[in-house]
Amino acid sequence: MDIKQVSETHFMIYEQNEISPEIRNKISTIALHIESLQHPAVISVTSSYRSIMVAFDVKHYTYETVLDELDLHHLNLNQENASRSKKLITLPVVYGGEFGPDLNIVADHAQLSEEDVIQIHTEENYLIYAIGFLPGFPFLGGLNEKIHTPRKETPRSKIVQGSVGIANNQTGLYPKSSPGGWQIIGRTPIDVFNLDREPMILYEAGDYIAFKAIHQEEFTRIEDEIANGTFDYSQLVGELK
């Protein structure tokens, strides 16, 4: 673990320069540990693939004092990891057609049928390595290499909210409508990011997402329940087995 001050108000914590579940797990553990301390100097903790950015109260604390009081170098990662259960969010998705206009592109690139692509995509539990470039956009690891597909050469000007896509070796979903270059294979009716809900985002980095194929009729039913305020979000949440 390497710690560096990067500005007057922020410092970074780095793990090894690689993308792996093990590194992500360490990052998640360290971030959760810092948050659990509820130290008054810590303003925010933001984690990514292999790093954590910590904003601290420079008016009342020095960088050296914060590091000393957090005592990160004596963190017992094994003990911390053992105490945290992994959250698994299962999102229903309609694949193909108007909901997934690029499913055939992924299938052709993989030399598979569209049904095979759907089966492969729904078999995995995907680790959330990071959240960005939109609030709630999960960058997911663990995509089967059989369906790795390059991004579109020309991005779309608008991708519909809830669209599930593939870009190279990653999969993810668009929490709000946005321009983007991912290959769109399906869409979920779940509003994974909602400013008027607590929590606003249904997951965080270090959690897992799974996708479940559904029909359009179920999509419409869920969409209506969300609009009416009757959808039970707790049914989406489980623990990783």
Side-chain angles (χ1 to χ4, degrees):
M1 184 169 64
D2 187 22
I3 305 176
K4 293 181 179 179
Q5 186 171 10
V6 293
S7 72
E8 183 182 2
T9 57
H10 292 76
F11 65 88
M12 297 290 296
I13 302 171
Y14 298 98
E15 273 294 338
Q16 294 170 251
N17 188 15
E18 62 180 79
I19 298 175
S20 72
E22 292 76 22
I23 296 300
R24 176 61 246 184
N25 193 41
K26 286 184 179 180
I27 289 295
S28 180
T29 297
I30 296 167
L32 286 168
H33 174 73
I34 295 173
E35 291 173 343
S36 71
L37 295 176
Q38 297 185 324
H39 195 288
V42 176
I43 297 172
S44 66
V45 181
T46 306
S47 63
S48 185
Y49 287 87
R50 57 169 291 260
S51 64
I52 301 168
M53 181 173 67
V54 180
F56 66 96
D57 179 6
V58 72
K59 293 182 179 179
H60 301 98
Y61 296 87
T62 66
Y63 167 63
E64 290 76 14
T65 299
V66 174
L67 287 193
D68 182 58
E69 295 187 7
L70 293 179
D71 195 23
L72 297 177
H73 289 293
H74 295 94
L75 174 63
N76 186 334
L77 290 177
N78 290 331
Q79 181 179 357
E80 293 286 336
N81 284 344
S83 66
R84 184 188 185 238
S85 60
K86 305 299 183 183
K87 187 167 63 178
L88 174 66
I89 308 296
T90 301
L91 298 176
V93 176
V94 176
Y95 287 90
E98 64 178 294
F99 295 89
D102 300 323
L103 179 61
N104 64 320
I105 294 175
V106 175
D108 289 346
H109 184 268
Q111 297 184 330
L112 296 169
S113 69
E114 293 185 6
E115 290 74 19
D116 287 338
V117 172
I118 295 169
Q119 180 177 345
I120 291 170
H121 191 257
T122 54
E123 285 176 343
E124 303 294 333
N125 294 328
Y126 298 99
L127 173 61
I128 305 174
Y129 279 95
I131 296 177
F133 62 103
L134 298 169
F137 189 109
F139 290 92
L140 306 176
L143 182 66
N144 191 309
E145 63 181 12
K146 292 179 180 178
I147 55 174
H148 288 186
T149 309
R151 297 168 61 98
K152 302 188 81 65
E153 293 185 6
T154 303
R156 288 186 173 91
S157 59
K158 182 180 179 180
I159 292 178
V160 179
Q161 173 180 322
S163 292
V164 176
I166 289 174
N168 301 311
N169 62 343
Q170 293 189 106
T171 188
L173 67 99
Y174 286 76
K176 293 294 181 183
S177 297
S178 164
W182 291 45
Q183 306 284 358
I184 303 304
I185 62 173
R187 192 190 313 161
T188 180
I190 304 300
D191 54 341
V192 297
F193 172 71
N194 188 330
L195 285 171
D196 298 322
R197 182 186 60 218
E198 181 60 38
M200 289 186 291
I201 302 174
L202 295 180
Y203 40 72
E204 57 188 347
D207 289 335
Y208 287 77
I209 287 178
F211 298 103
K212 178 182 72 171
I214 61 172
H215 295 294
Q216 185 173 347
E217 293 76 15
E218 187 172 358
F219 183 103
T220 301
R221 177 186 62 78
I222 294 172
E223 196 173 43
D224 289 343
E225 289 183 6
I226 290 174
N228 295 330
T230 59
F231 184 75
D232 179 12
Y233 289 93
S234 67
Q235 66 185 287
L236 305 175
V237 183
E239 289 188 5
L240 193 67
K241 301 296 185 180

